[in-house]
Amino acid sequence: MIWYLLNILIISIVWLLLNEKKVYQLNFGEKSAVLDKNAIYCIVASTLWILLSGLRGLSVGADTLSYKVDDFDVVKNYSWDQIFERFVDKYIEGEGSFNDPSFYLINKVFQIFSDNYQLFLLFIALVFFIPFGIFVCKNSKNPHFSFILFSCLFFEFYAITGLRQTIATAIVVFGGYALIKRKKWLAYILIVLLASTIHLSVLCVLPFYWLSKIKINKITLLCYWIATICSFVFNNQLLFFLKFLLNNDKYNGYIQTDGASAGTFLFLLIAVGIVVTLFHKNILKYSPENGRLLINALMIAVFFSSLLLINESFMRVLQYYSLYLVLLLPELESMMANSRDKKIYRMVAECVLILLLINKNPEYVFFWQEILG
């Protein structure tokens, strides 16, 4: 866990050092570039996460080793014909056992350059964290707060566990967000369909282009909460509907799990949903269009949160919508009347998040530690 805490310490020091000056000129020989503090901070924070994610050992993350054994190493022995046959089997022949064929294609293309799995992990980290850094830099009211939130709540999946969904998320969340704001509905549909060939679960964000435009008021929020209550009462029926919609055999394994615990994330999500419901006018006053999109994403995540009571694997569905919290929580500063209250809010929220991280006590080792050990 020490490396995660050290990462938070470093990005916090960088943020404090940059806070005194708003614009910086960087010289590269005869060329120069002008960057604001947010851009420099996001470059540093993203770089640190790229290193942590890409240099992790195989024991770090629930799926890191299995992706190597079941996917990366297997693809080494595949011909190009076999790779493309997976597309035919999946989308023409309708063979349900061949899932996510584009991920195999990505593996195969990467192996043209290298068959080193560690470099592949580094490549996936670049694919995710470069767009994530741009996403935060351009849209967050407080990039440091956003990275602290990611470093405490979301890193376990996107930085050290999922590979397929990490790539898919970079496409549909970061790319999709820009397309929604630019009102490019056709392009949004196309990238979601493209990403679904990497991880089928992204189809759950297909309606978000239109759902994000729902006006936020007391009536719509009440409807969201009624739908959420119904989802908790009829969560098994919701599960069967998703399985039918996705038409994927592997979701048949997502059945009722004895003792399944939603954990603190479920309660945090609902708590934020309640706060946003009570103070939505404040958020919309300072950021009407962006606030509407983020509140809709949050309430959809709250709706799907009932599935965590069935199986925690459904966090994969929530991730697409809940990731918008990295933008929404900084927006909640609009509830505060003055700068002192805003600082107190940030400090308390960040301390709570770090305490949650400490309570998890996640383990981390670099790949060379496993080799030497």
Side-chain angles (χ1 to χ4, degrees):
M1 181 178 66
I2 185 64
W3 292 107
Y4 298 121
L5 293 177
L6 182 60
N7 178 54
I8 290 174
L9 177 63
I10 293 173
I11 63 176
S12 297
I13 291 173
V14 170
W15 180 252
L16 291 174
L17 292 176
L18 291 172
N19 211 27
E20 298 299 322
K21 194 174 181 182
K22 292 188 178 296
V23 178
Y24 299 81
Q25 182 169 333
L26 304 180
N27 297 314
F28 306 95
E30 297 180 355
K31 297 182 179 180
S32 62
V34 177
L35 300 174
D36 62 19
K37 65 174 185 177
N38 288 352
I40 294 177
Y41 174 80
C42 288
I43 290 172
V44 172
S46 297
T47 300
L48 289 174
W49 265 116
I50 288 170
L51 294 175
L52 274 177
S53 178
L55 301 179
R56 70 187 187 271
L58 294 179
S59 64
V60 179
D63 299 331
T64 303
L65 179 59
S66 64
Y67 269 115
K68 180 182 187 302
V69 174
D70 299 332
D71 296 290
F72 194 79
D73 290 345
V74 170
V75 170
K76 289 180 182 179
N77 300 316
Y78 274 23
S79 67
W80 283 99
D81 286 341
Q82 287 176 297
I83 294 294
F84 291 116
E85 280 174 6
R86 295 184 71 93
F87 286 89
V88 174
D89 291 335
K90 177 64 179 178
Y91 299 111
I92 297 178
E93 301 295 335
E95 174 56 59
S97 62
F98 293 101
N99 296 313
D100 312 322
S102 286
F103 182 68
Y104 284 80
L105 178 61
I106 291 169
N107 278 263
K108 191 66 176 178
V109 171
F110 180 84
Q111 289 172 9
I112 294 174
F113 307 97
S114 174
D115 62 355
N116 186 299
Y117 182 64
Q118 201 66 52
L119 290 179
F120 185 65
L121 293 180
L122 192 60
F123 166 71
I124 299 297
L126 288 166
V127 168
F128 181 82
F129 284 104
I130 291 176
F132 179 70
I134 296 171
F135 176 72
V136 170
C137 182
K138 288 186 174 182
N139 302 294
S140 176
K141 294 290 179 64
N142 189 309
H144 178 58
F145 194 0
S146 296
F147 267 95
I148 292 293
L149 178 62
F150 176 87
S151 300
C152 295
L153 284 186
F154 294 104
F155 78 95
E156 286 183 293
F157 187 82
Y158 293 115
I160 65 174
T161 302
L163 299 189
R164 291 176 301 151
Q165 193 170 350
T166 295
I167 300 171
T169 298
I171 297 172
V172 300
V173 175
F174 309 142
Y177 180 84
L179 293 174
I180 290 173
K181 296 190 74 173
R182 292 166 58 190
K183 300 180 180 179
K184 303 288 186 179
W185 65 270
L186 181 58
Y188 181 84
I189 292 175
L190 291 176
I191 67 165
V192 171
L193 294 178
L194 172 64
S196 71
T197 67
I198 301 173
H199 202 283
L200 191 65
S201 65
V202 301
L203 290 177
C204 72
V205 304
L206 192 58
F208 186 58
Y209 179 89
W210 294 273
L211 294 176
S212 68
K213 302 182 182 303
I214 295 175
K215 291 184 177 180
I216 298 298
N217 51 47
K218 292 180 180 179
I219 301 299
T220 54
L221 289 170
L222 177 62
C223 290
Y224 269 127
W225 283 110
I226 292 173
T228 297
I229 293 171
C230 291
S231 76
F232 275 87
V233 175
F234 304 105
N235 56 2
N236 281 293
Q237 286 78 3
L238 177 60
L239 167 61
F240 288 124
F241 173 74
L242 286 175
K243 286 164 55 179
F244 171 78
L245 185 66
L246 296 176
N247 190 29
N248 193 323
D249 291 339
K250 71 180 179 180
Y251 288 91
N252 291 330
Y254 291 170
I255 58 176
Q256 180 68 37
T257 301
D258 293 335
S261 172
T264 55
F265 187 82
L266 171 61
F267 300 106
L268 176 64
L269 198 61
I270 293 176
V272 174
I274 293 172
V275 171
V276 167
T277 299
L278 294 175
F279 299 98
H280 66 277
K281 290 183 179 180
N282 300 66
I283 300 172
L284 295 173
K285 178 181 178 182
Y286 291 96
S287 184
E289 183 177 355
N290 202 46
R292 180 184 63 194
L293 187 153
L294 296 178
I295 293 174
N296 277 309
L298 168 68
M299 297 310 298
I300 294 170
V302 171
F303 169 76
F304 281 119
S305 66
S306 65
L307 295 177
L308 294 179
L309 298 178
I310 298 176
N311 191 305
E312 290 184 353
S313 296
F314 279 101
M315 180 65 77
R316 294 173 183 272
V317 176
L318 266 71
Q319 296 283 14
Y320 298 113
Y321 291 104
S322 61
L323 189 56
Y324 284 103
L325 283 174
V326 300
L327 301 185
L328 180 58
L329 286 192
E331 293 276 357
L332 295 184
E333 290 184 14
S334 61
M335 299 186 305
M336 312 302 163
N338 52 62
S339 59
R340 182 180 66 88
D341 292 340
K342 291 180 180 180
K343 289 180 180 179
I344 293 174
Y345 162 70
R346 288 196 300 267
M347 185 179 300
V348 171
E350 289 174 5
C351 286
V352 169
L353 289 169
I354 293 171
L355 287 174
L356 289 175
L357 173 64
I358 294 173
N359 185 59
K360 289 180 183 178
N361 193 27
E363 296 182 1
Y364 184 89
V365 293
F366 290 101
F367 73 92
W368 60 78
Q369 291 177 289
E370 290 183 336
I371 296 173
L372 296 175

mmCIF file of all heavy atoms in Angstrom, residues 246-272:
data_model
loop_
_atom_site.group_PDB
_atom_site.id
_atom_site.type_symbol
_atom_site.label_atom_id
_atom_site.label_comp_id
_atom_site.label_asym_id
_atom_site.label_seq_id
_atom_site.Cartn_x
_atom_site.Cartn_y
_atom_site.Cartn_z
ATOM 1 N N LEU A 246 -27.845 -8.310 -23.392
ATOM 2 C CA LEU A 246 -26.472 -8.521 -23.832
ATOM 3 C C LEU A 246 -26.301 -9.833 -24.580
ATOM 4 O O LEU A 246 -25.358 -9.996 -25.353
ATOM 5 C CB LEU A 246 -25.519 -8.473 -22.634
ATOM 6 C CG LEU A 246 -25.437 -7.120 -21.916
ATOM 7 C CD1 LEU A 246 -24.545 -7.227 -20.689
ATOM 8 C CD2 LEU A 246 -24.890 -6.048 -22.860
ATOM 9 N N ASN A 247 -27.206 -10.786 -24.313
ATOM 10 C CA ASN A 247 -27.170 -12.073 -25.013
ATOM 11 C C ASN A 247 -25.784 -12.703 -24.944
ATOM 12 O O ASN A 247 -25.188 -13.093 -25.948
ATOM 13 C CB ASN A 247 -27.584 -11.899 -26.475
ATOM 14 C CG ASN A 247 -27.791 -13.249 -27.167
ATOM 15 O OD1 ASN A 247 -28.148 -14.233 -26.518
ATOM 16 N ND2 ASN A 247 -27.591 -13.277 -28.472
ATOM 17 N N ASN A 248 -25.255 -12.759 -23.732
ATOM 18 C CA ASN A 248 -23.900 -13.267 -23.538
ATOM 19 C C ASN A 248 -23.924 -14.352 -22.487
ATOM 20 O O ASN A 248 -24.344 -14.126 -21.364
ATOM 21 C CB ASN A 248 -22.989 -12.118 -23.088
ATOM 22 C CG ASN A 248 -21.526 -12.507 -23.173
ATOM 23 O OD1 ASN A 248 -21.163 -13.642 -22.901
ATOM 24 N ND2 ASN A 248 -20.680 -11.554 -23.563
ATOM 25 N N ASP A 249 -23.433 -15.544 -22.834
ATOM 26 C CA ASP A 249 -23.496 -16.687 -21.927
ATOM 27 C C ASP A 249 -22.712 -16.486 -20.646
ATOM 28 O O ASP A 249 -23.046 -17.043 -19.609
ATOM 29 C CB ASP A 249 -22.981 -17.948 -22.630
ATOM 30 C CG ASP A 249 -23.920 -18.420 -23.716
ATOM 31 O OD1 ASP A 249 -25.104 -18.033 -23.655
ATOM 32 O OD2 ASP A 249 -23.476 -19.150 -24.618
ATOM 33 N N LYS A 250 -21.651 -15.688 -20.694
ATOM 34 C CA LYS A 250 -20.832 -15.558 -19.487
ATOM 35 C C LYS A 250 -21.569 -14.827 -18.378
ATOM 36 O O LYS A 250 -21.215 -14.949 -17.206
ATOM 37 C CB LYS A 250 -19.510 -14.857 -19.788
ATOM 38 C CG LYS A 250 -19.624 -13.377 -20.096
ATOM 39 C CD LYS A 250 -18.239 -12.802 -20.368
ATOM 40 C CE LYS A 250 -18.322 -11.320 -20.709
ATOM 41 N NZ LYS A 250 -16.990 -10.742 -20.967
ATOM 42 N N TYR A 251 -22.633 -14.066 -18.711
ATOM 43 C CA TYR A 251 -23.403 -13.385 -17.679
ATOM 44 C C TYR A 251 -24.316 -14.343 -16.933
ATOM 45 O O TYR A 251 -24.906 -13.981 -15.923
ATOM 46 C CB TYR A 251 -24.216 -12.233 -18.281
ATOM 47 C CG TYR A 251 -23.341 -11.079 -18.679
ATOM 48 C CD1 TYR A 251 -22.814 -10.997 -19.965
ATOM 49 C CD2 TYR A 251 -23.007 -10.079 -17.775
ATOM 50 C CE1 TYR A 251 -21.986 -9.954 -20.333
ATOM 51 C CE2 TYR A 251 -22.182 -9.025 -18.140
ATOM 52 C CZ TYR A 251 -21.682 -8.970 -19.419
ATOM 53 O OH TYR A 251 -20.850 -7.941 -19.782
ATOM 54 N N ASN A 252 -24.430 -15.563 -17.437
ATOM 55 C CA ASN A 252 -25.214 -16.549 -16.703
ATOM 56 C C ASN A 252 -24.553 -16.917 -15.388
ATOM 57 O O ASN A 252 -25.193 -17.445 -14.482
ATOM 58 C CB ASN A 252 -25.390 -17.814 -17.561
ATOM 59 C CG ASN A 252 -26.297 -17.565 -18.749
ATOM 60 O OD1 ASN A 252 -27.180 -16.728 -18.675
ATOM 61 N ND2 ASN A 252 -26.069 -18.282 -19.840
ATOM 62 N N GLY A 253 -23.254 -16.640 -15.285
ATOM 63 C CA GLY A 253 -22.557 -16.918 -14.037
ATOM 64 C C GLY A 253 -22.845 -15.895 -12.964
ATOM 65 O O GLY A 253 -22.507 -16.091 -11.795
ATOM 66 N N TYR A 254 -23.452 -14.788 -13.333
ATOM 67 C CA TYR A 254 -23.737 -13.741 -12.377
ATOM 68 C C TYR A 254 -25.074 -14.014 -11.694
ATOM 69 O O TYR A 254 -26.098 -13.405 -11.981
ATOM 70 C CB TYR A 254 -23.793 -12.370 -13.067
ATOM 71 C CG TYR A 254 -22.466 -11.896 -13.570
ATOM 72 C CD1 TYR A 254 -22.377 -10.778 -14.392
ATOM 73 C CD2 TYR A 254 -21.281 -12.546 -13.232
ATOM 74 C CE1 TYR A 254 -21.155 -10.310 -14.850
ATOM 75 C CE2 TYR A 254 -20.055 -12.094 -13.692
ATOM 76 C CZ TYR A 254 -20.002 -10.983 -14.493
ATOM 77 O OH TYR A 254 -18.801 -10.521 -14.957
ATOM 78 N N ILE A 255 -25.068 -14.971 -10.815
ATOM 79 C CA ILE A 255 -26.279 -15.325 -10.094
ATOM 80 C C ILE A 255 -26.158 -14.844 -8.661
ATOM 81 O O ILE A 255 -25.158 -14.271 -8.260
ATOM 82 C CB ILE A 255 -26.495 -16.853 -10.133
ATOM 83 C CG1 ILE A 255 -25.267 -17.557 -9.528
ATOM 84 C CG2 ILE A 255 -26.741 -17.328 -11.553
ATOM 85 C CD1 ILE A 255 -25.417 -19.065 -9.434
ATOM 86 N N GLN A 256 -27.167 -15.089 -7.882
ATOM 87 C CA GLN A 256 -27.162 -14.658 -6.487
ATOM 88 C C GLN A 256 -25.960 -15.251 -5.756
ATOM 89 O O GLN A 256 -25.711 -16.444 -5.787
ATOM 90 C CB GLN A 256 -28.441 -15.130 -5.788
ATOM 91 C CG GLN A 256 -28.520 -14.709 -4.324
ATOM 92 C CD GLN A 256 -28.682 -13.218 -4.169
ATOM 93 O OE1 GLN A 256 -29.369 -12.588 -4.951
ATOM 94 N NE2 GLN A 256 -28.032 -12.649 -3.172
ATOM 95 N N THR A 257 -25.173 -14.394 -5.139
ATOM 96 C CA THR A 257 -23.990 -14.828 -4.422
ATOM 97 C C THR A 257 -24.236 -14.698 -2.930
ATOM 98 O O THR A 257 -24.525 -13.610 -2.437
ATOM 99 C CB THR A 257 -22.770 -13.970 -4.820
ATOM 100 O OG1 THR A 257 -22.579 -14.089 -6.227
ATOM 101 C CG2 THR A 257 -21.518 -14.429 -4.094
ATOM 102 N N ASP A 258 -24.127 -15.800 -2.221
ATOM 103 C CA ASP A 258 -24.345 -15.760 -0.779
ATOM 104 C C ASP A 258 -23.312 -14.861 -0.133
ATOM 105 O O ASP A 258 -22.110 -14.985 -0.339
ATOM 106 C CB ASP A 258 -24.226 -17.170 -0.182
ATOM 107 C CG ASP A 258 -25.358 -18.067 -0.651
ATOM 108 O OD1 ASP A 258 -26.422 -17.516 -1.001
ATOM 109 O OD2 ASP A 258 -25.176 -19.304 -0.681
ATOM 110 N N GLY A 259 -23.802 -13.957 0.667
ATOM 111 C CA GLY A 259 -22.906 -13.085 1.409
ATOM 112 C C GLY A 259 -22.285 -11.980 0.569
ATOM 113 O O GLY A 259 -21.334 -11.344 0.981
ATOM 114 N N ALA A 260 -22.810 -11.789 -0.637
ATOM 115 C CA ALA A 260 -22.262 -10.723 -1.474
ATOM 116 C C ALA A 260 -22.451 -9.388 -0.788
ATOM 117 O O ALA A 260 -23.527 -9.032 -0.343
ATOM 118 C CB ALA A 260 -22.964 -10.720 -2.838
ATOM 119 N N SER A 261 -21.364 -8.642 -0.713
ATOM 120 C CA SER A 261 -21.399 -7.368 -0.007
ATOM 121 C C SER A 261 -21.139 -6.238 -0.984
ATOM 122 O O SER A 261 -20.178 -6.265 -1.749
ATOM 123 C CB SER A 261 -20.338 -7.352 1.099
ATOM 124 O OG SER A 261 -20.232 -6.072 1.680
ATOM 125 N N ALA A 262 -21.996 -5.245 -0.964
ATOM 126 C CA ALA A 262 -21.829 -4.105 -1.858
ATOM 127 C C ALA A 262 -20.677 -3.226 -1.414
ATOM 128 O O ALA A 262 -20.130 -2.470 -2.207
ATOM 129 C CB ALA A 262 -23.117 -3.299 -1.904
ATOM 130 N N GLY A 263 -20.309 -3.313 -0.142
ATOM 131 C CA GLY A 263 -19.171 -2.547 0.353
ATOM 132 C C GLY A 263 -19.482 -1.075 0.505
ATOM 133 O O GLY A 263 -20.609 -0.604 0.317
ATOM 134 N N THR A 264 -18.427 -0.338 0.817
ATOM 135 C CA THR A 264 -18.588 1.093 1.086
ATOM 136 C C THR A 264 -18.932 1.873 -0.178
ATOM 137 O O THR A 264 -19.519 2.953 -0.093
ATOM 138 C CB THR A 264 -17.296 1.656 1.687
ATOM 139 O OG1 THR A 264 -16.198 1.362 0.815
ATOM 140 C CG2 THR A 264 -17.011 1.040 3.039
ATOM 141 N N PHE A 265 -18.558 1.327 -1.356
ATOM 142 C CA PHE A 265 -18.822 2.068 -2.589
ATOM 143 C C PHE A 265 -20.315 2.282 -2.800
ATOM 144 O O PHE A 265 -20.742 3.364 -3.215
ATOM 145 C CB PHE A 265 -18.231 1.332 -3.787
ATOM 146 C CG PHE A 265 -18.321 2.109 -5.072
ATOM 147 C CD1 PHE A 265 -17.387 3.074 -5.374
ATOM 148 C CD2 PHE A 265 -19.356 1.885 -5.963
ATOM 149 C CE1 PHE A 265 -17.477 3.802 -6.549
ATOM 150 C CE2 PHE A 265 -19.459 2.598 -7.140
ATOM 151 C CZ PHE A 265 -18.507 3.561 -7.435
ATOM 152 N N LEU A 266 -21.111 1.259 -2.523
ATOM 153 C CA LEU A 266 -22.557 1.362 -2.676
ATOM 154 C C LEU A 266 -23.119 2.472 -1.796
ATOM 155 O O LEU A 266 -23.901 3.313 -2.261
ATOM 156 C CB LEU A 266 -23.215 0.026 -2.326
ATOM 157 C CG LEU A 266 -24.744 0.010 -2.232
ATOM 158 C CD1 LEU A 266 -25.370 0.397 -3.556
ATOM 159 C CD2 LEU A 266 -25.242 -1.355 -1.782
ATOM 160 N N PHE A 267 -22.699 2.506 -0.545
ATOM 161 C CA PHE A 267 -23.208 3.513 0.387
ATOM 162 C C PHE A 267 -22.703 4.913 0.023
ATOM 163 O O PHE A 267 -23.435 5.898 0.152
ATOM 164 C CB PHE A 267 -22.811 3.145 1.813
ATOM 165 C CG PHE A 267 -23.346 1.808 2.250
ATOM 166 C CD1 PHE A 267 -22.521 0.707 2.349
ATOM 167 C CD2 PHE A 267 -24.700 1.653 2.534
ATOM 168 C CE1 PHE A 267 -23.015 -0.533 2.732
ATOM 169 C CE2 PHE A 267 -25.212 0.422 2.914
ATOM 170 C CZ PHE A 267 -24.368 -0.670 3.019
ATOM 171 N N LEU A 268 -21.465 4.985 -0.453
ATOM 172 C CA LEU A 268 -20.934 6.269 -0.887
ATOM 173 C C LEU A 268 -21.718 6.800 -2.076
ATOM 174 O O LEU A 268 -22.061 7.994 -2.132
ATOM 175 C CB LEU A 268 -19.455 6.124 -1.251
ATOM 176 C CG LEU A 268 -18.780 7.369 -1.826
ATOM 177 C CD1 LEU A 268 -18.753 8.486 -0.791
ATOM 178 C CD2 LEU A 268 -17.363 7.048 -2.304
ATOM 179 N N LEU A 269 -22.010 5.922 -3.015
ATOM 180 C CA LEU A 269 -22.742 6.319 -4.217
ATOM 181 C C LEU A 269 -24.127 6.845 -3.858
ATOM 182 O O LEU A 269 -24.562 7.900 -4.358
ATOM 183 C CB LEU A 269 -22.853 5.118 -5.152
ATOM 184 C CG LEU A 269 -23.186 5.373 -6.618
ATOM 185 C CD1 LEU A 269 -22.112 6.229 -7.273
ATOM 186 C CD2 LEU A 269 -23.314 4.056 -7.359
ATOM 187 N N ILE A 270 -24.824 6.135 -2.992
ATOM 188 C CA ILE A 270 -26.162 6.563 -2.586
ATOM 189 C C ILE A 270 -26.096 7.860 -1.793
ATOM 190 O O ILE A 270 -26.941 8.754 -1.967
ATOM 191 C CB ILE A 270 -26.851 5.448 -1.776
ATOM 192 C CG1 ILE A 270 -27.133 4.239 -2.684
ATOM 193 C CG2 ILE A 270 -28.144 5.953 -1.149
ATOM 194 C CD1 ILE A 270 -27.725 3.061 -1.973
ATOM 195 N N ALA A 271 -25.083 7.988 -0.929
ATOM 196 C CA ALA A 271 -24.930 9.215 -0.144
ATOM 197 C C ALA A 271 -24.702 10.423 -1.043
ATOM 198 O O ALA A 271 -25.317 11.489 -0.843
ATOM 199 C CB ALA A 271 -23.774 9.060 0.840
ATOM 200 N N VAL A 272 -23.848 10.267 -2.054
ATOM 201 C CA VAL A 272 -23.613 11.363 -2.997
ATOM 202 C C VAL A 272 -24.879 11.667 -3.777
ATOM 203 O O VAL A 272 -25.208 12.835 -4.026
ATOM 204 C CB VAL A 272 -22.454 11.015 -3.959
ATOM 205 C CG1 VAL A 272 -22.306 12.091 -5.027
ATOM 206 C CG2 VAL A 272 -21.151 10.859 -3.189
#
